[in-house]
Structure formats: structure tokens, C-alpha cells
Amino acid sequence: MAFWRLKMRFECNQQLLTKALNIVSKAVTSRTTIPILKGILLEVSEDGKLKMSASDLDITIEETVEIEAGVSGSIVVQSKLFGDIIRKLPNATVSIELIDTNVVIKCMNSEFSIIGLSADEFPSIKNIEENPDYITFDKAILKEMIRKTSFAASVDESKGVITGILIELLNDEINMVAIDGYRMAITREAMVNLEEKNVIISAKIMNEISKILSEASEEEENVKLLLNDKKAIFIIGNVKVVLRLLDGEFIKYKDVLPKDNKIKVKVSRSDLMESIERASLLSKEGKNNLIKFAIKDTIVTITSKSEEGNVREEVLINKEGDDLDIGFNAKYVLDVLKSIDDEEIYMLFNTSITPCLVEPISGDSFEYLILPVRITNN
Amino acid sequence: MAFWRLKMRFECNQQLLTKALNIVSKAVTSRTTIPILKGILLEVSEDGKLKMSASDLDITIEETVEIEAGVSGSIVVQSKLFGDIIRKLPNATVSIELIDTNVVIKCMNSEFSIIGLSADEFPSIKNIEENPDYITFDKAILKEMIRKTSFAASVDESKGVITGILIELLNDEINMVAIDGYRMAITREAMVNLEEKNVIISAKIMNEISKILSEASEEEENVKLLLNDKKAIFIIGNVKVVLRLLDGEFIKYKDVLPKDNKIKVKVSRSDLMESIERASLLSKEGKNNLIKFAIKDTIVTITSKSEEGNVREEVLINKEGDDLDIGFNAKYVLDVLKSIDDEEIYMLFNTSITPCLVEPISGDSFEYLILPVRITNN
């Protein structure tokens, strides 16, 4: 350990530290047996800035914090204990100093001394400095695109690329796609991109990014995304998130979309959602959560039953095409309806054994595909 | 099953039903294997009122609800399913009708049919009609007295009376007392009582009563308490809670209170609480959560340590008497400090092995006793 590391010292406001710790600690995994990965790296640079970082090897989060006075150096502290201490200190100036291998934390009438771990053991993060090109997102739009797709990715970690969200950069738009074999979610936004490129990022990590977008500095409206073949970096104000891209070929999702839709149903999203929520109270748990749609003239009748009883719900619709009986897993339909904000939607059907497509009344900002459940008429 | 039971029918607003179900279902236990105890009894009386009741045999909760139109009769419905259905219906008139042994629930475009259980199986509640005397509490005061004592009762169900709160009705005041062998809580309120009487009620049930007090009709300011030797009934507006008293002799708590207090410390409750909260971050978990107080002149220094580090906190005090070193389980001190609202408190000590007494600066509305933990000086 180099001698200069032993001198680290800085002062910073307690609220600023707490805010940064809340963000950075999202990269700390509780599941690891490697002590250093439960830590947060504190680095005070020669030019008087504090960088805090944490990593679970899949995702690394760094935040740069303004400090009041500092002596350069670095140390790793246990994330949970250090976070609890800082959060419980009063809103005042906190002084943090490295004395031997102990981190001494002082604030008003409190003084803590906790054990530090050598910064040398901490996994280093290689940035993508070679490629200075980046994509700029509006924060709110990125959050929305994540919300509208991530739920449809597979949660089975053995499933490879389909645990991820495909980000498709086209000349004039960006698409995000997730699919788990039972349903598919597609969102589209107009956006000018310098080069066409596809990357796949873990849906779990995209949900973390979404949380960071909510918490990170409010002044910052934009998010930068830097990409190379292996990694992506999101830059949100003072926060930098480095993550590994998922390797492999994504499903050719356009081939899955039905070309022909003989039945077109226009329905109030909230009416349909509330009816399915009620009907699902009696769709037997543990089984496939089956609800049946009987689409006939101007009404869709939704039914469900279990040993405890049965339910019938009626929702008004506008229909083009034939009548149809079709079954669904209530959860898959509800996930889709919850992720949409539009008051009215189109549901497109062909037969009782082909997927249902959910689309907006106008435009093509989203598209959802839901596989039906085969029903027997009893 | 009598024929008239089969006719039960009523209409009621969905919000009214939901509010009553939220209260009544607190008596439904999930731990029972007796199906009828997972149910809620619906009874429509001849004079057109709906009574809903649930019971886990220790506690029975009844609520009377105004209905719009009714045919008398009774049935038991599964509490969770019925509650989920009613909660998810729109805010409109719900019609409930017994058809054979099925309960048919209709509201707007929804229709449920669920299985009912015979009301004959439901445990009957015997009221205390013989003794028309009752005690009247102010709702807010009763809630406060429960909050200030219940945490100090034993949670070990094998411990008999000390899992309860002693309610001591004296001529001109009411005392509530709880003790678990490590700490004791006493609250006092001025109140004129017709007869002197002591009863013991399970602290767990008193906490349920407290929740019902928060939820039950806001117009009602007062709570009535009816007592006999075996049972107590709390009447809160339209809600009636019947419970069994705990049998046995409560600890002679006055004998436990120290007569002599050589050291008297005046301290800010919030300063002390925040310091102990921080110090307890390093009082080793799983062990006895030890923090040490060094009371000296105008400062109490609170220290704690674990393998992860150590902490020193200083809090300003006003002291009469000698200096003292004493150890505590941080949780026991925090429980007491959290239950007090006063800005300043007195802490009274004798020696490092005798209990500490916590009292208000003026008056005697509460008194807390905390046993110390023996400390070795290392």
C-alpha cells in the first residue's frame, strides 16, 4: 500500500454524502462472499474531488461529489455500515479521515472509527475513452421506455439474451424490445442516431438505471450513453454507470409479429384492466391464472372460476371482424395494460390459438404481443 | 339450516363495506386450521341492519353497517376472498344475495358467485349485558396509553400475565402497566371511576384495539369499555370488540420501583435518542446490543464497539449527584425514548447494577424502568 493513501481526508455535507451513497450502493450485492464487493471505494483526487464507487462486476456505479477540503488518497469501507452511519448523522459537515487502516468519521458530537479495506483490492473500471461518440436520451423518455419493456424480459437467469432488453439504434428512431416466450414488448421513439447499432442490456440492470434516473440530480435532463462492443456507460449528471452488454443474437422479433389481424377490438384500457383484476381473484393460483374472453358484438365477457366460486365481467367494446373465444394468463394481460398510459387501445386477434397484439389507437409508439392459453369449453 | 337463512339479501355502498371489512377482518387469523374461523359472518337483521363479525376465539370484532334494502338472513364468507372482491369493485352500490349456499355479489358490470358456509358453525359471542356500567375513554388518550406501554410487555406467549397490560382503575385515575422482566412502562391519566378494579388484557390485542381506534368512525371521540370477570368489550362507534381477559395475578409493580435515586440527570430526549441510534450501529448484533454510558459532570459519553469499529457520542446533561458508568441494551433505552413525546426527561440512577428510572420533568404521567447490563471495564 502506497504511503500517500494513508493520508486521505475530506469534509463534506452529510446530505450530499447520503444522496450519493444511496445511488452508489445500488451496485453493492448482498449475495457475494467476496468482502471487497460489499464495499464502497472512496477516492479523493489531487484536484480535490471525492469519487465513490461500488461494483458487483456486472454493474459499476460511480458518483463524483464536491468536497469542502481534501487530502488525496483512497480506501474501501463496508457499504452497509458506512451508509447507516452517514445517514444517521445530523445534517452538518462530516469530516472523514484515514488513520492507519481505520476510517475516522466525525460530525458534531459523534465520532466513529471503522475498519477500512485496501483500495488496491477493489475491481478497477475501464472506461470507454476510445469512442467519444455518445447517444443523448431525455431522462423521462428513457425511464418510460424501460418501464414499458423490462417487465416482458425473462427473469430466468439461465435464459441468456432474453433476460435482456434489445436496444435497436436505427437512423431515425430507437426501439427497445423484450420477450420472454409468452409475451413481447416493443417501444419506439423518434431519435436521430449517427450509426445503426444493436445492443442487449440486462433488464434487471435497466431497472436499476431507471431508479438511478429518479434519484440522480434533478437539474440534469439528459442522459448520455456511450457504447462499445462489450460495455455501455450511462452518464447521468455526476453519476456514471458502467455495465457489461449481454452477448449473443436476440430473437428476430419482427418475424414473430402476426402479419394478419382479422379481428380488431377498441376498448377502454382502465375498464378492461379493472375487470381483469377482479376476474383474476378467481383464476386459480399456482395454476396458469386462466381467464376467458368471449368477444361478441359490442361486449367482451371475461370469466374465471375456481373451487371457491366464479366471476363474470362485462366490458364494452367496438369490434371489427368475427366473434371470438380466447383464453389468457391474467397476469400477462395485466402487465401490458398497466404499462400503458393511453385511455383507449386496440387489441388485434386472429384465432383462439394465435397471439393477441395490443397497439395504440394512433401512432406506433408501442406494440405488445401476448400468447393465448388454450381453452377447453367446459 | 333454517329456510329463512336462504333468503338473505342486501344492498350497500362499496366504500362502506370496504371500511367495515378492513376493521372486522383484523380478528381473522391466518394460522387457524378451522375453515369457519377464516370467515366473516354476514347477518342481516329483521330491522334491516347488516352486522359483520369475525373471531379468532381470543378476540371478536363486530361492525354494524347501514344498508339500503335488505332481507334478513345470515351466511359466512371466506374473509380474504370476499374482502379482495369488495375492495376491487367500483365505488357504487353492491348487491349481495344468498342463492342456495352461494353468495352472489353484483356491482355495475361485475357478477361474482362464491361459496358460503353455514352461519350455524360460527362461534357465538356472549355479550356482557348483565353489567350495564361502563368506563368512557377519550380515543386519543387510550391510543397514547397503549402506545406508551404495550412495547414493554413480554412477547413470549408462554409468559402468561406479563404478555398483557395491567389496567388499574383507581378512584380518580387510571394506570396502565407493562413489564417483561427487563423493562417496565407505567402511564397514568386522571379519570373518575365508579369502582376500583384491575384487569389484564393481552398487549397484542391492545395493539389491535389501537389500530381499530385509528380506523373506526372519526365522528366518535369516545370509547366505551364494559368489563366483567372474564371479558371486556370495547365499543367504538359501530364497532364492538369482545375479548377475553388474561387470568392471574400481575406482578406487584410498585415493589419493583426503586425508592432511592442518588443520581438525577436531565437530558434532551431527541439528542439522547439520536446518539443512541448511532451508537447502536456498532453494538454487536445477535448479542445484547450493549452500549455504555459514562455520566460525568455535564456530559454523558455513550460508547459502543464491535469487530467492525467503535463509536463515541457525547450528549450534554444537567446532573445532580455522583458520576456513574453504566451499561444498557440499546434497544430497551430506544424503545422508551421513542414512546415519549416530551422534549426533556429525567433519568434517575443509583448504581451501575440497579435499574434506571425515566420520568417526565414535571407531573407523573409516565414512568419507565430499564434494567442495566453488567459491564466489565475493558
Side-chain angles (χ1 to χ4, degrees), chain A residues 78 84-85 88-90 109-115 278 281-282 307-314, chain B residues 78 81 84-85 88-90 109-115 278 281 307-314:
Chain A
Q78 216 256 75
D84 285 346
I85 291 171
K88 283 192 184 283
L89 286 173
N109 297 322
S110 304
E111 182 173 332
F112 284 82
S113 171
I114 62 173
I115 287 165
R278 286 190 292 268
L281 293 174
L282 285 166
E307 282 165 13
E308 293 175 317
N310 59 67
V311 49
R312 201 184 73 227
E313 292 277 339
E314 291 182 350
Chain B
Q78 217 256 74
L81 178 62
D84 285 347
I85 291 170
K88 284 192 184 281
L89 287 174
N109 297 322
S110 303
E111 182 174 332
F112 285 82
S113 171
I114 61 172
I115 288 165
R278 286 190 292 267
L281 293 174
E307 281 166 14
E308 293 175 317
N310 58 68
V311 48
R312 201 184 74 226
E313 292 276 338
E314 290 182 351

Side-chain angles (χ1 to χ4, degrees), chain B residues 335-351:
Chain B
D335 282 348
V336 167
L337 296 176
K338 281 179 194 161
S339 80
I340 301 174
D341 304 312
D342 304 30
E343 190 34 55
E344 287 194 306
I345 50 167
Y346 277 130
M347 298 185 83
L348 308 171
F349 304 90
N350 271 318
T351 70

